[in-house]
């Protein structure tokens, strides 16, 4: 039978020992910290890609406005020039003619499939960014 003195000594040794406490605290906090850091990077990358897609659409509008007779191939080439050859496969450019209040516009729509650095497939793997611009058709 264990006497009270031995029981106190065992519990003091078991709960009084703080070796490994830092490792345990790190193991509990590290996943949340790294998720926050990587999430911040991914949001920054997505915003960068959205701005780059928007700038590419603006180049298409600029091409059309500066060269009033620019055909759709030239507009699409101006948009695609902002992307590398490997990225162009994930870029879809759509050009349509629209009329708003009797004024003719060229609708330039670009979709880019952005891939996350850290892929968590059910939640986050790749997603589509969209940018739309309207350019007046000068006749």
């Amino acid at each position: 039978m264990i006497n009270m003195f031995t029981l106190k000594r065992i519990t003091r040794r078991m709960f009084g020992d703080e070796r490994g406490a830092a490792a345990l605290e790190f193991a509990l906090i590290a996943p949340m910290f790294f998720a926050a850091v990587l999430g911040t990077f991914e949001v920054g990358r997505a915003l960068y890609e959205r701005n780059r897609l928007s700038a590419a659409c603006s180049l298409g509008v600029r091409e059309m406005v500066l060269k009033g007779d620019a055909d759709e191939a030239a507009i699409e080439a101006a948009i695609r020039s902002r992307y590398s050859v490997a990225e162009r496969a994930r870029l879809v450019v759509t050009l349509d003619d629209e009329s708003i209040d009797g004024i003719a516009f060229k609708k330039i729509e670009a979709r880019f499939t952005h891939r996350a650095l850290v892929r968590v497939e059910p939640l986050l793997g790749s997603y589509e960014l969209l940018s739309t611009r309207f350019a007046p058709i000068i006749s």
Side-chain angles (χ1 to χ4, degrees):
M1 190 154 136
I2 299 176
N3 64 15
M4 197 62 146
F5 178 72
T6 308
L7 188 59
K8 274 186 176 180
R9 192 174 57 180
I10 290 172
T11 56
R12 187 179 298 134
R13 189 181 328 157
M14 191 166 50
F15 293 114
D17 188 9
E18 293 187 13
R19 288 179 297 176
L24 179 63
E25 291 169 0
F26 179 76
L28 292 173
I29 299 298
M32 292 179 285
F33 173 74
F34 288 122
V37 169
L38 290 175
T40 302
F41 284 142
E42 192 55 46
V43 167
R45 284 186 67 237
L47 289 173
Y48 169 77
E49 287 297 335
R50 187 189 70 171
N51 288 337
R52 188 165 75 137
L53 185 63
S54 178
C57 280
S58 295
L59 274 179
V61 170
R62 184 176 190 273
E63 178 76 18
M64 189 177 159
V65 170
L66 289 179
K67 301 174 185 173
D69 60 344
D71 60 343
E72 291 186 357
I75 296 169
E76 188 170 343
I79 294 170
R80 290 185 177 278
S81 70
R82 296 286 289 194
Y83 289 90
S84 68
V85 175
E87 292 174 323
R88 289 178 188 164
R90 299 183 313 200
L91 180 66
V92 177
V93 179
T94 308
L95 302 167
D96 291 321
D97 291 331
E98 284 195 14
S99 178
I100 301 172
D101 292 333
I103 302 171
F105 286 93
K106 177 74 72 176
K107 179 182 176 185
I108 301 171
E109 186 174 272
R111 295 176 184 271
F112 182 72
T113 303
H114 177 67
R115 295 183 186 147
L117 282 177
V118 179
R119 290 180 180 86
V120 183
E121 281 308 321
L123 302 173
L124 180 68
S126 62
Y127 46 92
E128 200 170 78
L129 301 171
L130 170 69
S131 182
T132 305
R133 295 285 185 272
F134 290 91
I137 296 176
I138 302 169
S139 26

